[in-house]
Amino acid sequence: MEKCIRGEKAITTFVTQSLEEIRFWSRIMKEHVYFLSLGFTADQTQLIQEARQYVGLFQRIEEQISVYNEKTDPEVIRLLNVQVYQAAVSVWAYKRKVLGLILRCEIVSNNIPLLVDHTSREAAYFAKRLKELNEGKLKPLPEAIIKENVFFLKIMADHSKFIGHLLDPSERKLVDQAREFSNDFDQLLFQAQDLDHMRPQSETVPLLDHFLDQNRVSVVSLREFKKTARDLIEACKIKSNIPTLLADHVFREADHFLHIIDAFDEHLSAQQT
């Protein structure tokens, strides 16, 4: 993770983007291991203890960055990225260990394999993003637009499946809506993967512009569905096994994806002027 940031504007962007990524993803990582700890059985004390240690680790990171801002020394931020990168890689390894234990039938818990895999993919993404920032990769590239959408469309498809799985079966209308979102995002993911396979020829502004517009429409709809579900769960108006924190967690990730789409769209618009 070598330092290669040059120029005052690039330095400011580096610091700002680093802090934004760490603020968002450290909270996500903390919540992931908290959710996993709830899914273990009472006798799986070692795994629960490890999860709680990671909760504490990412809580300390959140507290650490609360005193940083865009004026913080970029060298401090570069070292912070290295520190948090190591934490992200470590929690990724923990999640993959748990996944292996489940798939080998060495433990039985309420943590379904796709959920554990899902959380590990996000940890890997977080680590990769920190590494890219320290390498000076600040501006979105055409290939990044496609690959980021492939990643997040899969995340959104997973969320839809988890919601449908955790809602009480008697919530038939909501379960059906979750399944419709799952199918919608599966199709969007397949389209994104096709576009990825066609690179670099598919990296044209018109194709990417339509690609982002199409994805935005579905993500906005899913975000509103998640918001409604979160509010209903918080008010105890529907039956489910979804904690309010988990409902808010998936809502925040959809909102984050929309911000990424908007940033890519802004980049494409600048190229056309």
Side-chain angles (χ1 to χ4, degrees):
M1 298 178 70
E2 296 179 358
K3 180 181 178 183
C4 51
I5 311 295
R6 295 184 179 89
E8 187 175 342
K9 184 176 179 180
I11 289 172
T12 302
T13 302
F14 165 71
V15 171
T16 301
Q17 287 189 5
S18 295
L19 291 177
E20 286 176 354
E21 294 285 352
I22 294 172
R23 286 193 183 101
F24 179 80
W25 287 109
S26 289
R27 182 180 179 185
I28 294 295
M29 295 298 110
K30 181 181 70 175
E31 291 172 354
H32 279 171
V33 285
Y34 171 69
F35 296 143
L36 291 177
S37 73
L38 297 179
F40 294 124
T41 55
D43 61 320
Q44 292 164 353
T45 54
Q46 179 61 36
L47 293 172
I48 294 172
Q49 182 59 32
E50 287 182 75
R52 288 174 178 169
Q53 288 173 353
Y54 281 113
V55 169
L57 172 61
F58 285 102
Q59 178 65 44
R60 289 191 295 274
I61 290 171
E62 286 186 296
E63 293 168 358
Q64 179 182 352
I65 66 168
S66 65
V67 299
Y68 296 155
N69 56 44
E70 67 277 3
K71 296 180 180 178
T72 301
D73 184 346
E75 179 62 18
V76 171
I77 299 301
R78 188 187 73 82
L79 294 174
L80 173 68
N81 284 349
V82 173
Q83 172 197 339
V84 182
Y85 170 87
Q86 292 168 345
V89 169
S90 180
V91 78
W92 171 85
Y94 168 71
K95 293 169 177 177
R96 299 307 289 185
K97 178 180 76 172
V98 171
L99 179 61
L101 291 171
I102 295 170
L103 293 180
R104 294 192 300 271
C105 300
E106 294 179 26
I107 64 169
V108 175
S109 75
N110 290 319
N111 294 312
I112 59 176
L114 183 61
L115 174 63
V116 182
D117 174 62
H118 173 99
T119 66
S120 75
R121 277 183 269 124
E122 291 190 352
Y125 172 91
F126 183 25
K128 179 174 176 287
R129 188 73 194 104
L130 292 169
K131 185 172 183 291
E132 288 174 343
L133 285 166
N134 269 17
E135 291 172 347
K137 297 177 181 177
L138 308 178
K139 294 182 179 180
L141 301 172
E143 67 221 39
I145 293 176
I146 296 173
K147 288 186 177 296
E148 287 273 312
N149 277 266
V150 168
F151 174 81
F152 277 102
L153 289 170
K154 171 63 174 168
I155 295 299
M156 296 300 109
D158 289 349
H159 284 173
S160 303
K161 293 173 176 63
F162 298 149
I163 293 169
H165 176 74
L166 293 171
L167 285 165
D168 189 87
S170 68
E171 297 287 354
R172 299 175 189 276
K173 187 173 180 60
L174 289 173
V175 170
D176 283 346
Q177 285 181 276
R179 287 173 180 164
E180 288 172 7
F181 277 116
S182 173
N183 291 333
D184 183 28
F185 279 94
D186 280 344
Q187 292 305 312
L188 289 172
L189 174 60
F190 296 149
Q191 288 184 189
Q193 289 172 334
D194 288 340
L195 205 61
D196 190 29
H197 296 156
M198 295 177 190
R199 290 193 306 107
Q201 287 77 13
S202 60
E203 294 167 359
T204 71
V205 171
L207 281 176
L208 294 176
D209 186 54
H210 176 66
F211 174 62
L212 292 175
D213 286 346
Q214 194 173 35
N215 292 343
R216 180 187 290 103
V217 170
S218 291
V219 180
V220 168
S221 294
L222 179 60
R223 181 185 62 175
E224 293 311 302
F225 172 73
K226 289 176 174 179
K227 182 179 183 298
T228 299
R230 180 197 64 188
D231 294 346
L232 291 171
I233 290 166
E234 189 173 22
C236 199
K237 290 185 176 181
I238 59 173
K239 304 173 291 298
S240 78
N241 281 343
I242 304 174
T244 303
L245 181 60
L246 178 56
D248 186 61
H249 177 101
V250 297
F251 166 78
R252 277 182 272 119
E253 289 195 8
D255 194 58
H256 185 72
F257 185 18
L258 280 174
H259 287 305
I260 290 173
I261 290 175
D262 288 342
F264 283 141
D265 192 50
E266 183 179 345
H267 174 70
L268 289 179
S269 298
Q271 283 189 318
Q272 292 177 301
T273 58

